[in-house]
């Protein structure tokens, strides 16, 4: 069971995507975005940092102590109603504004809500304006013409826009929940990953018989027992995290913790407290001391993924712990010493970043003691059938089903595809094929994603045809290419190829003789599975 982590709104409100969505909502509709905790208290209150009002009426209300109390009470009631409804709510506040609120829940735990207010709805605009006029006249000594100008400046949203606003708020919630989950998962991995790593991540379980992967394995066998810092590079989806796990499993530290932190997923403030921990009272909601990942990984291994996404400020702090093995928790004054092996990974060109001044040269050399460069999938095409088999087996075990087979035509197209997403994209595609194939034991190529299914057709469309010659010759050339392509896809099974071509088997045999299409003459190393 993962250790419970206090929910820190200050960190989550500083997420780049949350900040950006606040800006978008503010610029599009002049609407403010706010959070309440599980008790309904607005974030920043009573410190006087109440939400930044986006319109003059809200600003007027928040500057008045009595009116401000009404707003706080409305926020509390909204939070309670949001928890009870367990879904988004559109309501009207005491002053007449419309409010959209969404509950923030992690599992069964209710943590408060996010809400947007300070607007009126197009379908009830006059009713809401009258309510606002009455409220403002009663509560404030302002000229009626000035108050009316305030009312006329208010954002008015149609129900369609309200629905879109709800969707944006849900994006904010999803991002907060996902980040919270990733932090908890990290804690779970501390307790669970080391026990499962030995079984799943030894070098023998990593698929790769290609020459490119054999070179990687040779290097790994030399460095596994060392204490050197290792930089793992390669495109997205090449399996950098898996290699890091394998290095740990085969090291002297295999009985200790292996901890993963994605440096590109969170901003500097949150990353700093995650890596180095913090002391009680160092910031709002720091109600107790918290150990950072470096301390939790003491005597073990810490894997810093996406190291190229760290800021120059964070790079300085990482350099210190790499050089001296010491750090100071956020808000602390006591220096701590740890013994941690660092593995790092990136899909970026750090050498180029050093030249451009976006990555520290001294940190680069500290990280790049040994470089493990993983090949892209297009550089190890011969591993594709092996990887597909592994993913088919994994799907079968996970879903307790019979292992499916890939048809020769399907495999042919998959080997021809470039796989820009590398092994991760291949794994996702295999899972998709298993789901779509239903009860069928064999997976046919017509189930492939369009980008993969059409790749060969796009590459070979009219290839080699003399478009300057006469029409009869061009048609014969196209016919010859189509017959050959389908025979290849069907492993030279003429019955299957004839069906795909829409002709009889006898007709296909005659055309093969006409065009001298013979499997043996092409020197194909495939056993004959079709007799004439």
């Amino acid at each position: 069971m993962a250790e419970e982590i206090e929910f820190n709104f200050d960190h989550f409100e500083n997420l780049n995507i949350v900040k950006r969505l606040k800006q978008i909502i503010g610029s599009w509709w002049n609407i403010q975005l706010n959070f309440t905790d599980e008790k309904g208290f607005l974030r920043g209150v009573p410190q006087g940092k109440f939400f930044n009002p986006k319109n003059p009426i809200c600003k007027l209300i928040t500057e008045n102590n009595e009116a401000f109390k009404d707003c706080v009470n409305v926020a509390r009631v909204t939070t309670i109603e949001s928890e009870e409804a367990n879904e988004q709510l559109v309501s009207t506040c005491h002053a007449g504004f419309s409010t959209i609120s969404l509950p923030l829940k992690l599992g069964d735990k209710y943590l408060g809500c996010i809400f947007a207010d300070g607007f009126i709805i197009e379908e009830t605009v006059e009713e809401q304006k009258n309510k606002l006029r009455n409220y403002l006249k009663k509560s404030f000594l302002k000229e009626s013409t000035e108050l009316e100008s305030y009312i006329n400046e208010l954002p008015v949203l149609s129900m369609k826009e309200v629905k879109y606003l709800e969707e944006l708020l849900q994006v904010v919630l999803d991002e907060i929940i996902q980040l919270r989950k990733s932090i908890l998962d990290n804690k779970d991995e501390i307790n669970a990953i080391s026990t499962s790593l030995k079984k799943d991540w030894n070098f023998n379980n990593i698929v790769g018989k290609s020459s490119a992967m054999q070179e990687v394995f040779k290097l790994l066998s030399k460095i596994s027992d060392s204490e050197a810092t290792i930089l793992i590079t390669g495109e997205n989806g090449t399996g950098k995290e898996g290699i890091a796990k394998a290095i740990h499993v085969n090291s002297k530290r295999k009985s200790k913790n292996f901890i993963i932190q994605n440096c590109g997923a969170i901003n500097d403030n949150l990353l700093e407290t995650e890596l180095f921990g913090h002391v009680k009272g160092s910031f709002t909601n720091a109600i107790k001391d918290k150990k950072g990942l470096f301390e939790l990984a003491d005597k073990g291994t810490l894997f810093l993924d996406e190291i190229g996404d760290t800021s120059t400020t964070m790079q300085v702090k990482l350099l210190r712990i790499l050089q001296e093995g010491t750090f100071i928790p956020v808000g602390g004054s006591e220096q701590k010493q740890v013994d941690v092996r660092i593995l790092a990974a990136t899909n970026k060109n750090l050498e180029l970043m050093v030249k451009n001044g976006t990555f520290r040269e001294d940190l680069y050399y500290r990280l790049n003691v040994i470089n493990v460069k993983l090949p892209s999938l297009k550089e190890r095409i011969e591993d594709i059938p092996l990887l597909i088999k592994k993913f088919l087996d994994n799907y079968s075990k996970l879903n307790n089903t019979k292992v499916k087979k890939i048809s020769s035509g399907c495999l042919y197209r998959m080997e021809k595809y470039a796989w820009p997403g590398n092994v991760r994209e291949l794994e996702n595609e295999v899972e998709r094929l298993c789901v779509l194939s239903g009860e069928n034991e064999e997976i046919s190529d017509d189930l492939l994603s369009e980008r993969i299914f059409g790749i060969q057709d796009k590459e070979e469309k009219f290839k080699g045809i003399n478009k300057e010659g006469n029409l009869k010759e061009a048609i014969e050339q196209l016919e010859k290419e189509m017959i050959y392509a389908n025979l290849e896809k069907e492993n030279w099974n003429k019955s299957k190829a004839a069906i795909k071509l829409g002709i009889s088997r006898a007709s296909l045999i005659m055309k093969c003789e006409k065009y001298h299409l013979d499997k043996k003459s092409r020197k194909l190393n495939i056993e004959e599975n079709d007799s004439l």
Side-chain angles (χ1 to χ4, degrees):
M1 185 71 177
E3 175 188 353
E4 181 60 27
I5 304 171
E6 66 270 17
F7 189 80
N8 192 326
F9 275 95
D10 294 332
H11 283 159
F12 291 99
E13 286 187 81
N14 284 325
L15 285 173
N16 290 332
I17 189 169
V18 175
K19 283 183 175 180
R20 182 63 184 140
L21 285 170
K22 276 187 171 184
Q23 292 171 356
I24 290 171
I25 291 170
S27 62
W28 283 1
W29 296 300
N30 201 33
I31 292 174
Q32 56 221 14
L33 196 61
N34 311 291
F35 291 93
T36 59
D37 61 21
E38 73 278 5
K39 296 179 181 178
F41 290 111
L42 284 159
R43 300 302 307 154
V45 177
Q47 291 91 341
K49 296 179 182 177
F50 189 56
F51 58 78
N52 182 28
K54 293 290 184 183
N55 64 64
I57 293 179
C58 289
K59 188 174 182 180
L60 189 66
I61 290 173
T62 57
E63 288 172 350
N64 181 289
N65 287 335
E66 292 304 315
F68 179 75
K69 289 178 182 177
D70 290 337
C71 284
V72 173
N73 288 332
V74 167
R76 296 195 67 182
V77 171
T78 300
T79 301
I80 293 169
E81 291 176 346
S82 175
E83 180 180 13
E84 291 174 348
N86 198 30
E87 62 181 4
Q88 65 267 29
L89 290 176
V90 179
S91 56
T92 306
C93 76
H94 65 295
F97 287 117
S98 288
T99 299
I100 299 178
S101 60
L102 279 77
L104 175 55
K105 294 187 72 176
L106 294 175
D108 295 328
K109 187 175 181 181
Y110 182 70
L111 298 171
C113 77
I114 179 175
F115 66 93
D117 61 3
F119 66 96
I120 51 183
I121 295 176
E122 188 175 56
E123 286 75 5
T124 57
V125 62
E126 291 305 323
E127 180 184 339
Q128 288 184 263
K129 282 186 176 181
N130 286 332
K131 187 174 181 179
L132 277 164
R133 288 188 187 100
N134 293 333
Y135 174 78
L136 293 173
K137 287 176 183 178
K138 180 181 176 181
S139 304
F140 302 98
L141 298 175
K142 289 276 186 181
E143 292 290 335
S144 59
T145 53
E146 186 178 5
L147 294 177
E148 191 64 29
S149 68
Y150 287 172
I151 291 172
N152 290 331
E153 291 176 16
L154 293 174
V156 179
L157 275 67
S158 67
M159 287 306 297
K160 184 177 180 180
E161 289 176 302
V162 170
K163 184 64 180 174
Y164 188 44
L165 177 57
E166 288 177 5
E167 292 174 1
L168 290 177
L169 294 181
Q170 188 61 55
V171 171
V172 175
L173 283 188
D174 290 345
E175 191 67 22
I176 291 173
I177 291 169
Q178 182 59 39
L179 180 55
R180 168 79 171 198
K181 181 179 180 299
S182 71
I183 293 173
L184 288 173
D185 286 347
N186 249 352
K187 299 298 180 184
D188 281 334
E189 285 194 55
I190 293 170
N191 298 316
I193 210 170
S194 292
T195 58
S196 64
L197 279 176
K198 294 177 186 178
K199 175 185 175 184
D200 298 329
W201 290 104
N202 60 61
F203 292 153
N204 293 332
N205 286 342
I206 300 177
V207 173
K209 291 188 177 180
S210 61
S211 57
M213 284 304 295
Q214 288 304 309
E215 288 301 313
V216 172
F217 292 146
K218 285 180 186 177
L219 178 59
L220 292 179
S221 66
K222 295 177 182 178
I223 64 178
S224 58
D225 267 348
S226 78
E227 290 291 292
T229 302
I230 296 173
L231 180 64
I232 307 168
T233 58
E235 297 177 6
N236 280 331
T238 48
K240 295 186 287 293
E241 183 178 315
I243 293 296
K245 290 176 181 177
I247 291 171
H248 172 77
V249 165
N250 289 273
S251 74
K252 296 172 183 176
R253 298 173 180 259
K254 59 187 175 185
S255 62
K256 302 299 181 181
N257 286 335
F258 175 80
I259 301 175
I260 302 169
Q261 177 60 55
N262 187 319
C263 299
I266 51 182
N267 62 28
D268 259 17
N269 291 335
L270 188 53
L271 180 59
E272 183 176 7
T273 189
E274 281 303 300
L275 291 177
F276 306 117
H278 63 247
V279 299
K280 181 180 177 180
S282 56
F283 50 82
T284 306
N285 284 344
I287 59 176
K288 61 181 179 180
D289 289 354
K290 171 191 170 182
K291 289 184 178 181
L293 298 183
F294 272 104
E295 194 168 356
L296 293 169
D298 191 28
K299 302 295 189 297
T301 306
L302 178 59
F303 175 51
L304 299 176
D305 200 5
E306 304 299 345
I307 192 73
D309 290 338
T310 52
S311 68
T312 50
T313 303
M314 180 56 63
Q315 290 168 27
V316 173
K317 295 173 182 178
L318 290 173
L319 179 63
R320 176 178 177 178
I321 197 166
L322 279 168
Q323 287 177 328
E324 304 171 13
T326 61
F327 68 95
I328 299 175
V330 175
S333 56
E334 180 185 350
Q335 185 170 272
K336 295 193 175 186
Q337 182 94 28
V338 290
D339 172 20
V340 178
R341 186 187 190 185
I342 302 297
L343 307 178
T346 182
N347 65 335
K348 295 186 175 180
N349 187 334
L350 293 190
E351 285 189 39
L352 183 60
M353 291 178 68
V354 168
K355 291 179 182 177
N356 294 337
T358 55
F359 200 87
R360 290 183 63 96
E361 185 176 18
D362 44 8
L363 177 59
Y364 171 66
Y365 288 118
R366 280 283 176 181
L367 292 170
N368 197 34
V369 176
I370 296 173
N371 180 257
V372 178
K373 188 178 187 309
L374 298 186
S376 63
L377 193 51
K378 63 187 176 185
E379 296 175 278
R380 45 183 295 213
I381 296 172
E382 55 265 54
D383 288 336
I384 290 177
L386 301 174
L387 288 164
I388 291 173
K389 184 180 184 306
K390 177 186 177 182
F391 298 145
L392 289 173
D393 289 341
N394 291 347
Y395 182 86
S396 173
K397 290 174 185 175
L398 186 64
N399 295 277
N400 195 26
T401 58
K402 188 174 180 180
V403 179
K404 294 179 180 289
K405 296 179 181 179
I406 293 280
S407 71
S408 57
C410 189
L411 178 59
Y412 174 80
R413 289 181 182 270
M414 293 176 85
E415 288 179 327
K416 292 296 182 183
Y417 181 60
W419 299 106
N422 293 294
V423 178
R424 186 183 298 121
E425 184 184 5
L426 176 62
E427 183 175 13
N428 291 340
E429 183 66 19
V430 171
E431 182 180 359
R432 176 183 174 277
L433 290 171
C434 288
V435 173
L436 294 181
S437 61
E439 299 298 320
N440 296 332
E441 291 185 13
E442 185 175 80
I443 298 172
S444 58
D445 61 355
D446 59 339
L447 294 177
L448 285 166
S449 297
E450 186 177 350
R451 68 184 187 283
I452 302 170
F453 183 83
I455 189 67
Q456 191 64 22
D457 297 332
K458 291 175 183 176
E459 287 178 352
E460 296 188 351
K461 190 174 183 181
F462 304 126
K463 185 178 179 180
I465 296 177
N466 179 13
K467 291 178 278 295
E468 301 299 323
N470 65 56
L471 184 59
K472 183 177 182 295
E473 291 174 350
I475 291 173
E476 286 181 344
Q477 180 64 24
L478 176 58
E479 185 177 54
K480 179 180 177 180
E481 293 290 341
M482 287 183 65
I483 290 171
Y484 177 71
N486 278 277
L487 285 168
E488 280 275 85
K489 281 187 287 184
E490 298 302 333
N491 206 14
W492 288 78
N493 183 310
K494 294 184 177 63
S495 297
K496 291 183 178 179
I499 292 172
K500 286 288 182 68
L501 290 165
I503 60 178
S504 69
R505 189 170 183 278
S507 178
L508 176 59
I509 292 170
M510 287 189 291
K511 289 181 183 293
C512 286
E513 291 177 357
K514 173 183 177 182
Y515 297 125
H516 306 290
L517 293 177
D518 181 83
K519 179 181 175 182
K520 292 178 182 177
S521 67
R522 294 279 179 161
K523 297 181 182 180
L524 297 172
N525 299 317
I526 305 172
E527 290 183 5
E528 183 69 69
N529 59 8
D530 178 40
S531 57
L532 296 179

